[in-house]
Structure formats: C-alpha cells, structure tokens
Amino acid sequence: MKSLILSAVTLAFAVALPAHASEDLAKKYLCTTCHVVKGAKTIGPAYADVAKKYAGQKDAEAKLVDKVKKGGQGVWGQVPMPPNASVPDADLKALVKWVLSVK
C-alpha cells in the first residue's frame, strides 16, 4: 500500500514538474531579465503574448527554438534578442514548449 501511495505521489510530481521546471529554466538562463510570464511587454514580449501569437501554428515550436537559439529582431519591435547558442537544445525545447503553453 505504501508503495502504491509513493508511486502516485511521484507521478503527481512528475506531471507538475515540467511547467515549474521550465519557469526555473527561464530564470536560470536569465530569460526573465527581458520577459515576464504575463502582463505588459517589458524589453521583450510576455510569454502569454508569444503563446497567443503562435497558437495553432504547427511549426511554432521548431520556429521558436531556432529563434531563441539564433536570436532575432523585428517581430516584437526593434530591440534585438541576443542568441542563446550556449543553452542546451533539450532546455531550449523545454522552455519553448512551456512558453507555448502559457495562457
């Protein structure tokens, strides 16, 4: 019985962990210096606005992973986003997946 409860608790944490882990990754890689989760645009757009803009686009995840990795300018204004080439691809994918899930 104890192992069943422990398994259920472990599964619950595993399901909840990705969203929190991705916000932690955003902080770890200093993304939150320029972006907020929700609210008014600061230096860069709020993640909720990014999610809304790319909602329903089948290639959004790949497009944004590439954009975050290489950097860019012009989609959200003239302030450039610096490249993030040193961020591991798995972390980039996790971050972008999380950003696209923000409501």
Side-chain angles (χ1 to χ4, degrees):
M1 181 67 164
K2 285 184 182 180
S3 65
L4 181 60
I5 293 171
L6 182 59
S7 295
V9 170
T10 303
L11 180 61
F13 279 123
V15 170
L17 188 59
H20 184 64
S22 296
E23 187 169 1
D24 288 344
L25 285 174
K27 291 175 184 174
K28 175 182 177 180
Y29 293 115
L30 305 178
C31 306
T32 55
T33 302
C34 298
H35 300 277
V36 295
V37 177
K38 295 179 183 178
K41 177 182 175 191
T42 54
I43 295 169
Y47 293 138
D49 293 337
V50 174
K52 187 175 179 180
K53 180 180 184 95
Y54 290 95
Q57 294 184 27
K58 294 180 191 247
D59 64 342
E61 188 176 327
K63 185 187 300 185
L64 290 176
V65 166
D66 187 59
K67 182 176 287 218
V68 173
K69 187 171 195 147
K70 294 179 180 175
Q73 180 179 351
V75 175
W76 297 94
Q78 293 306 308
V79 177
M81 182 174 76
N84 294 278
S86 64
V87 178
D89 287 346
D91 286 352
L92 284 174
K93 289 178 184 178
L95 282 163
V96 166
K97 212 171 241 208
W98 172 71
V99 167
L100 291 171
S101 74
V102 173
K103 302 270 183 219

